[in-house]
Amino acid sequence: MSLFDWFAANRQNNETALHPQQEREIADGLWTKCKACDVLTYTKDLINNQMVCKECGFHNRVSSRDRIHQLIDSDTWQELNANVVPTDPLKFRDKKAYSDRLKDYQEKTGLSDAVVTGTGLIDGLPLALAIMDFGFMGGSMGSVVGEKICRLVEHGTAEGVPVVILCASGGARMQEGMLSLMQMAKISGALERHRAQKLLYIPILTHPTMGGVTASFAMLGDLILAEPQAAIGFAGRRVIEQTLREKLPDNFQTSEYLLEHGFVDAIVSRTDLKKTLAQMISLHQPFSPILPELQLQHHVETHQIKEKIYETVPSHGDFYK
């Protein structure tokens, strides 16, 4: 054995002694590490808890399809306006063409745009539901998002059912310029017609809800709900600090801060959201008259009571005898 071979063999033996056994690799996707508390959670348990960490309550981001599964009763979801797709009217281009970006996100998410709308039942109660999906261009509000939400509100008004919108957006879509900003007024007008019919509208602010979405339909609800620790605001924190030249509180633009200052009505955990929505919708249902059968029974019982009273009370003639 040469001196070189001896050194090589000795080095290999030393490395084996120092590292006798490598750690077993964990299968991808089997465990999920919480972004807030770093606790490892079995992924199936996390999914069963609606992607909410059981240790610290951190709400992981979920897709619009998952939201439908979490909120809507089985086999009751009916999607509306799924065929409305975006175009590129301004022929916008930055690092790549806007039309190419749309195709990429449509293939990646399986969605036509950043919102899914439809109708369904929640604990047996009908509602019209819109769910914004942050996975599609940051949930930005373009023409299609505005059009689909506006049509949903009008459908809810025509059918006389409550409207619920789950908001998750970075704001207006810059690639559509003024066309994007016009959606704020269009949706607000539809919501005003909905309100005029004395129908319920509930926006749910999730992480994040920013920009033009916050400045329009996210803040027009009869009841405004928010998920815990959601970032909610119009301009970003850095822009506000530079404008005001003041240091903002650490919890500024969080749902807890806004609840404390009366900007939202309640903070509801995702695991309690379906039950809470069902209770609110039930309480705000218009008064419905009693069923005809009960009404008839009530009329008969009332007539019988009157007859008994008349039998025991003397007639007017008896008083004058």
Side-chain angles (χ1 to χ4, degrees):
M1 178 184 291
S2 66
L3 186 62
F4 177 79
D5 293 337
W6 182 85
F7 276 116
N10 190 45
R11 181 179 178 184
Q12 185 176 2
N13 291 334
N14 290 337
E15 289 180 349
T16 304
L18 292 173
H19 307 284
Q21 187 176 5
Q22 292 183 350
E23 294 183 3
R24 188 172 59 181
E25 294 183 358
I26 300 176
D28 291 340
L30 187 62
W31 297 86
T32 301
K33 186 177 182 180
C34 179
K35 297 178 182 178
C37 65
D38 293 335
V39 170
L40 283 175
T41 305
Y42 193 42
T43 302
K44 287 186 178 180
D45 291 340
L46 189 62
I47 294 174
N48 291 335
N49 202 45
Q50 301 187 17
M51 298 303 291
V52 178
C53 178
K54 292 184 177 181
E55 293 293 327
C56 66
F58 177 76
H59 284 53
N60 292 277
R61 187 172 294 146
V62 294
S63 68
S64 54
R65 300 299 179 187
D66 292 334
R67 294 279 190 181
I68 295 171
H69 177 72
Q70 292 168 3
L71 292 176
I72 301 299
D73 297 347
S74 299
D75 301 325
T76 64
W77 175 252
Q78 296 290 331
E79 187 170 353
L80 298 176
N81 302 304
N83 59 341
V84 180
V85 296
T87 59
D88 186 12
L90 303 181
K91 306 301 179 185
F92 189 93
R93 185 181 185 88
D94 42 52
K95 292 183 178 180
K96 64 163 48 175
Y98 176 46
S99 57
D100 293 336
R101 287 191 184 278
L102 290 173
K103 292 179 182 177
D104 291 343
Y105 278 103
Q106 287 168 349
E107 294 175 359
K108 179 181 177 181
T109 62
L111 303 173
S112 61
D113 212 304
V115 70
V116 176
T117 60
T119 60
L121 300 179
I122 180 168
D123 283 352
L125 299 168
L127 82 163
L129 178 66
I131 306 171
M132 304 188 74
D133 198 314
F134 195 81
F136 194 105
M137 295 189 71
S140 53
M141 180 176 59
S143 300
V144 168
V145 172
E147 181 66 19
K148 291 181 72 171
I149 292 178
C150 186
R151 290 188 186 185
L152 178 82
V153 175
E154 291 175 342
H155 178 83
T157 305
E159 296 295 324
V161 298
V163 172
V164 175
I165 301 178
L166 278 98
C167 307
S169 177
R173 186 170 297 176
M174 57 170 284
Q175 290 87 347
E176 295 189 19
M178 183 60 70
L179 298 175
S180 174
L181 297 178
M182 290 168 61
Q183 309 310 313
M184 299 167 61
K186 182 168 71 175
I187 299 173
S188 298
L191 286 172
E192 171 59 22
R193 294 188 291 273
H194 187 77
R195 185 202 63 79
Q197 296 299 317
K198 299 181 180 180
L199 296 171
L200 181 64
Y201 165 52
I202 303 176
I204 302 168
L205 315 183
T206 68
H207 179 77
T209 300
M210 303 293 292
V213 171
T214 305
S216 56
F217 60 87
M219 289 298 163
L220 295 178
D222 301 300
L223 295 165
I224 302 176
L225 307 182
E227 286 189 340
Q229 291 297 318
I232 304 166
F234 179 65
R237 179 190 184 95
R238 179 173 53 85
V239 173
I240 297 174
E241 286 185 334
Q242 290 177 350
T243 303
L244 299 179
R245 300 183 184 277
E246 292 183 6
K247 180 68 176 177
L248 298 173
D250 293 336
N251 65 341
F252 182 72
Q253 288 188 329
T254 63
S255 50
E256 288 75 13
Y257 182 89
L258 298 182
L259 177 65
E260 181 182 349
H261 291 78
F263 213 53
V264 301
D265 295 304
I267 296 176
V268 182
S269 174
R270 188 181 301 158
T271 54
D272 298 326
L273 186 57
K274 181 175 182 177
K275 177 180 67 176
T276 302
L277 277 177
Q279 289 175 345
M280 290 181 173
I281 292 173
S282 177
L283 289 171
H284 287 80
Q285 288 293 302
F287 174 76
S288 55
I290 57 179
L291 296 174
E293 296 83 0
L294 295 177
Q295 195 170 13
L296 177 61
Q297 182 181 353
H298 175 74
H299 177 74
V300 172
E301 290 177 352
T302 303
H303 183 70
Q304 291 174 349
I305 292 172
K306 287 182 178 179
E307 286 183 345
K308 290 182 180 179
I309 294 174
Y310 294 152
E311 290 175 358
T312 57
V313 176
S315 64
H316 293 288
D318 294 335
F319 283 113
Y320 296 96
K321 286 182 180 177

